[in-house]
Amino acid sequence: MGFCLINHVAVAARYAIEQLHLERVAIVDFDVHHGNGTQDIFYDDASVCFCSIHAAPFYPGTGTIGEIGGPSASGTTLNVPLPFGVGDRGYRRIFSEIITPALRRYKPQLLIASAGYDAHWADPLGPMVLSVAGFAQIAHALRDLAAELCDGRLVLSLEGGYNLEALGAGVVATLRVLSGNDSGPDPIGSIRAGEPDIDGVLHILKRSHPLLI
Ligand SMILES: [Zn+2]
């Protein structure tokens, strides 16, 4: 739909399954937009678990909680649609209360992240308020998950990010965390904004999603 010519993450996941003979690959998409292409490609394929955290209602308009996979792969799509204005605190909860327990159930052998940085507060497109420190926290969560579940096998593929300073700083913080360092100083800082309540979204997911009930 205009942003991607080739879905690198989907190619990587399919390659891991067909050429490297893995049975289960998980994709975590923290780009602020719903990963509609990746979801579509693997919607009825239980060998790939696709998790997307995104703003809603927002472009491209897909990614509701009820989209959980096709008849042969029910529960292997997990969408976390969020109101505008979620930041570091909300994303921390999503990783600890939703993504981590869901992937512990799925047991991936490889973790791939669609690493978009357009949920930063300074991003001109994304309506979220993550800071660089928040992206570092996401990198920590992914690294810990990969260490626990798949012998540290983790691939990040750069996706969105339309404020180049925030994008660069987010990538640097991510790489620092992945290489075992602290995330370093946040050159852009955070904004003081009350985050919206996401209890409702988390509650519905915990009550209804096959990987969480
Ligand atoms: Zn995006």
Side-chain angles (χ1 to χ4, degrees):
M1 291 174 69
F3 282 81
C4 312
L5 297 179
I6 295 173
N7 188 326
H8 301 90
V9 160
V11 171
R14 188 73 87 201
Y15 183 89
I17 290 161
E18 292 186 357
Q19 301 296 318
L20 306 178
H21 309 297
L22 298 195
E23 291 169 354
R24 290 176 312 285
V25 174
I27 298 170
V28 175
D29 182 334
F30 62 85
D31 187 280
V32 80
H33 300 95
H34 177 235
N36 58 332
T38 312
Q39 172 172 303
D40 188 56
I41 289 164
F42 298 116
Y43 200 62
D44 204 23
D45 181 348
S47 64
V48 175
C49 178
F50 175 67
C51 307
S52 181
I53 306 162
H54 48 269
F58 195 55
Y59 185 89
T62 46
T64 63
I65 290 175
E67 295 163 32
I68 60 166
S72 306
S74 184
T76 61
T77 294
L78 194 168
N79 283 304
V80 187
L82 297 172
F84 291 10
V86 178
D88 298 1
R89 194 158 44 89
Y91 277 79
R92 184 186 300 123
R93 285 190 66 194
I94 292 155
F95 273 88
S96 69
E97 297 177 36
I98 302 292
I99 303 295
T100 296
L103 292 186
R104 280 182 178 144
R105 285 275 288 280
Y106 183 73
K107 295 185 174 29
Q109 298 157 300
L110 167 68
L111 185 55
I112 303 176
S114 285
Y117 292 82
D118 46 7
H120 191 276
W121 65 262
D123 191 275
L125 293 187
M128 299 312 204
V129 299
L130 270 174
S131 69
V132 169
F135 286 115
Q137 175 189 287
I138 290 173
H140 263 292
L142 291 170
R143 192 192 64 179
D144 289 351
L145 264 176
E148 176 187 334
L149 299 175
C150 37
D151 295 327
R153 287 189 290 267
L154 171 64
V155 175
L156 282 85
S157 181
L158 183 60
E159 298 205 351
Y162 307 97
N163 175 310
L164 296 186
E165 193 187 355
L167 169 63
V171 170
V172 167
T174 299
L175 293 176
R176 287 183 60 97
V177 168
L178 295 184
S179 55
N181 297 293
D182 64 50
S183 58
D186 179 345
I188 308 172
S190 53
I191 51 168
R192 253 177 227 296
E195 293 191 25
D197 185 3
I198 60 169
D199 279 343
V201 177
L202 301 190
H203 182 70
I204 294 170
L205 278 167
K206 290 175 192 173
R207 209 184 51 201
S208 65
H209 195 280
L211 288 177
L212 295 168
I213 54 178

